[in-house]
Amino acid sequence: MPSDAYDVVVVGAGNAALCAALSASENGASVLVLECSPEDVSGGNSRFTAGAIRFAYNGLEDLQEIVTDLTEEEIATTNFGTYTEDQFFDDMFRVTQYRTDPDLCEVLVRQSFPTIKWMREKGVRFVPIYGRQAFKVDGMFKFWGGLTVESVGGGPGLIEMLTKAALKSGIEIHYEARALSLLFDGFKIEGVKIRHQGELKDIAAKAVVLAAGGFQANSEMRTRYLGPGWDIAKVRGTPYNTGDGIRMALDIGASSTGNWSGRHSVGWELNAPEFGDLAVGDNFQKHSYPWGLIVNARGERFVDEGADFRNYTYAKYGREVLAQPGHFAWQIFDNKVLHLLRDEYRIRQVTKVSSDTLEGLAEQLDGVDAAGFLRTMEAYNKAVQTDIPFNPNIKDGRCTKGIDLVKSNWANTIDEPPFEAYAITCGITFTFGGLRINTDAEVQSTDYRPIPGLFAAGELVGGVFYNNYPGGTGLMNGSVFGKVAGRSAAEYVKQ
Ligand SMILES: Cc1cc2nc3c(=O)[nH]c(=O)nc-3n(C[C@H](O)[C@H](O)[C@H](O)COP(=O)(O)OP(=O)(O)OC[C@H]3O[C@@H](n4cnc5c(N)ncnc54)[C@H](O)[C@@H]3O)c2cc1C
């Protein structure tokens, strides 16, 4: 075979792409992976993650197939609980307001356990997420949010382990190789046009898997599809996900679907750079707000900080911050909960103020109306139902009464010094709209038929997430549909 002709070309080298490449290869295809970034920052958004990945499991035995080296002590002191397929379905339906595509959701949920097992067999190692997803109460850790493991070494570790597995399987990876357009004869895919090492090349391929991420790093597309103001958002991850994969498929008549005006976005350090910084990873996020309050420039609250566990609210609260005057907010905590703050609050790159009095704090909250803030605090402190016990492991029902915007759970008075406040803005993670695929990951045309030879997986697929998202599902979505896409592409090639 000439070096520039392959059975399957995969565009991107993130989690979805590498899973697709491994799957195509184990099903007998010769595979080339094209990644537009340099090798040291390759892996797209997947490299920026903590590697937290959601899957259904029925208890410890299942978990031990994924985390193969759990110690006796970990087992004795941890309630890993279960996260059944039914719970996963419920979470997907609830957070997407029953809009997730039922067929794709079914594949996502039911294939989540077999897929993570397959990743483990390929050499990806996982550990429990004690730091962020479990609290110790009465001597026992309890996992509270359906999100129990992360890859060893976080996102960088995940990409390294998948890349190693790919190279071991004989898959070629070209870095700084940008896919520009699809070669298409009007009926079927024939390859990809690329720019690599200063040359334009046509790479012949019988099938192409697009796994090149969403359009969140493209401020023009953000503004066009998400709406005015989204040009202001900070990009949490890679600068390379500029919507190329979506655009090249639409150019040849692919069908678009899903929540094109929707996105995953979070509270993110106010002074973070335009794009993610791999030295900081996901630590610009500030996700301990369920234990405190969030106020805007008027000193007013604007979300129910305790509406649900962090895993089910963080991805929709970024847009609420963006909608505030000046696109910023401050998170407020007192001494009672400082020990619960996630590790991301203890990095150097935070915009933080502290004081022994609320008045002293108010003076330092840059851009905030101090009188408004103190009014909010007074009303809130009076409204907390202190007779209900606080428990971070459950939705404890410790709420407020008598103020317009309720805090539904984990409402503690904020009255014990020292007080700390952290400034945030909106950080966008990825976009929800994208290409229409079927359950075999075949890209559909505007005639609602598969485009022969074209497959897609990961962020650039539409229809899975709407409005919101359960934490840890982005990676699993890419893994499940990457594996399906790779297998489908290899099977197509054999026809
Ligand atoms: C800070 C942060 C933390 C996160 N934490 C988590 C988490 O803990 N758990 C979780 O499940 N999800 C998390 N996510 C979301 C998760 O990163 C994504 O959902 C997932 O990684 C997407 O995988 P993907 O393979 O589709 O895209 P990516 O991993 O982004 O890969 C796309 C690749 O395509 C390449 N590419 C783009 N255009 C071209 C082109 N024209 N030619 C060639 N290559 C191209 C890009 O360079 C990139 O490498 C997080 C995201 C961020 C930003």
Side-chain angles (χ1 to χ4, degrees), residues 11-17 34-37 42-53 177-180 211-213 236-238 240-242 244-245 248 268 281-282 285 429-430 457-460 469 471-476 478:
V11 181
N15 174 57
L34 299 170
E35 168 57 56
C36 65
S37 80
S42 72
N45 262 1
S46 304
R47 184 182 281 277
F48 281 85
T49 70
I53 185 161
R178 180 175 285 277
L180 300 172
R236 294 180 68 204
T238 177
Y240 293 99
N241 287 4
T242 49
D244 285 14
M248 63 183 93
W268 191 246
D282 69 357
Q285 67 198 7
T429 322
F430 65 94
E459 266 178 11
L460 51 55
Y469 149 110
T473 318
L475 286 176
M476 186 46 78

Side-chain angles (χ1 to χ4, degrees), residues 197-261:
Q197 295 174 337
E199 265 185 79
L200 290 179
K201 286 187 206 161
D202 286 352
I203 307 270
K206 294 177 192 141
V208 171
V209 178
L210 295 172
F215 59 81
Q216 63 276 1
N218 180 330
S219 69
E220 187 270 342
M221 284 181 86
R222 271 203 317 270
T223 316
R224 182 148 38 121
Y225 296 113
L226 306 185
W230 284 94
D231 40 352
I232 303 290
K234 310 247 181 191
V235 176
R236 294 180 68 204
T238 177
Y240 293 99
N241 287 4
T242 49
D244 285 14
I246 296 175
R247 180 192 43 74
M248 63 183 93
L250 295 183
D251 282 351
I252 63 149
S255 171
S256 64
T257 191
N259 189 192
W260 274 71
S261 61

